[in-house]
Amino acid sequence: MPPAIIITVNGVSLTVNRIEENDFDINIVPHTLSVTTLGQLTVGDAVNLEVDIIARHLEQLIKNK
């Protein structure tokens, strides 16, 4: 099983479920939508998107093992 890829959207850490070429899917549970600003977003809104540095480092460690 490949390591989990974690991203942050507007500061909220989320696990990527599927990656295909330049697209990816995530699931957001209702609780997360209600306690963050993610529930206020609409299609086309700009967001801050980051790859979780810990996940990136962990992936590199696994690859080098």
Side-chain angles (χ1 to χ4, degrees):
M1 173 182 276
I5 303 297
I6 307 294
I7 63 165
T8 60
V9 177
N10 289 353
V12 179
S13 292
L14 302 165
T15 302
V16 175
N17 294 325
R18 181 192 66 84
I19 300 173
E20 187 175 310
E21 295 184 20
N22 294 325
D23 295 324
F24 63 90
D25 289 341
I26 56 173
N27 287 333
I28 304 172
V29 296
H31 177 74
T32 300
L33 287 176
S34 69
V35 297
T36 67
T37 60
L38 297 180
Q40 300 167 10
L41 294 172
T42 60
V43 174
D45 284 349
V47 297
N48 182 46
L49 183 64
E50 300 175 24
V51 174
D52 189 310
I53 192 68
I54 294 172
R56 184 184 294 174
H57 180 67
L58 181 60
E59 180 181 25
Q60 203 59 31
L61 287 173
I62 291 169
K63 284 182 179 180
N64 293 332
K65 192 171 187 182

